[in-house]
Amino acid sequence: MVSLLRTVYQRFFSMAAEAYTPGSLSAAFVTSPNEKVGKEIARAMVEKHLAACVNIMPQITSLYKWKGKIEEDREVLLMIKTRSSQIPALTDFVRSVHPYEVAEVIALPIQQGNAPYLQWVGETVPE
């Protein structure tokens, strides 16, 4: 019986994987000056259904050129899972609440992944 259930489960989720359209979901990245600001932005994105999940990676070091000078800052990186169709709205939201003059918002399409997880992201974030 367990073997039969395992087979049904695997077939069901392999069919879900085949149904995923590569690129329909994205992983977006946003830096913030500290964990407090990062958590506020992350929570608001999830509450507004702009993101299914936001991972907050503390204590990254960023080196960049800004206004002619090389800068080095400690930041927090947000990794956001969302629908690709929501990237413009997510970008507008981040720009409206972010303390930086130019907020980093970049997105990469998700080509493949764990079918149940991808399905959950798609169900959590509306089109």
Side-chain angles (χ1 to χ4, degrees):
M1 181 66 167
V2 172
S3 177
L4 175 63
L5 290 174
R6 182 178 298 128
T7 301
V8 170
Y9 177 84
Q10 288 172 340
R11 285 190 182 155
F12 173 77
F13 284 112
S14 69
M15 288 181 351
E18 292 171 15
Y20 176 69
T21 303
S24 61
L25 301 178
S26 288
F29 300 89
V30 172
T31 53
S32 73
N34 57 54
E35 193 168 347
K36 180 180 183 291
V37 171
K39 281 184 178 178
E40 289 170 357
I41 293 171
R43 181 173 301 280
M45 284 189 286
V46 173
E47 288 173 349
K48 293 179 177 299
H49 305 286
L50 294 171
C53 174
V54 181
N55 301 110
I56 301 171
M57 292 171 254
Q59 299 181 351
I60 64 166
T61 300
S62 295
L63 290 158
Y64 56 96
K65 194 165 190 175
W66 181 249
K67 296 185 178 180
K69 285 180 37 184
I70 295 178
E71 303 284 348
E72 181 175 332
D73 285 314
R74 301 291 293 198
E75 294 182 297
V76 171
L77 179 64
L78 308 180
M79 184 173 71
I80 304 148
K81 276 70 73 184
T82 188
R83 285 187 175 276
S84 297
S85 62
Q86 288 293 341
I87 295 298
L90 186 142
T91 301
D92 289 345
F93 173 74
V94 170
R95 291 177 66 194
S96 74
V97 299
H98 204 286
Y100 289 170
E101 184 179 337
V102 178
E104 174 185 356
V105 182
I106 58 173
L108 302 170
I110 297 171
Q111 296 303 313
Q112 57 186 336
N114 180 23
Y117 183 81
L118 298 177
Q119 183 177 359
W120 170 77
V121 172
E123 291 170 354
T124 303
V125 179
E127 298 250 7

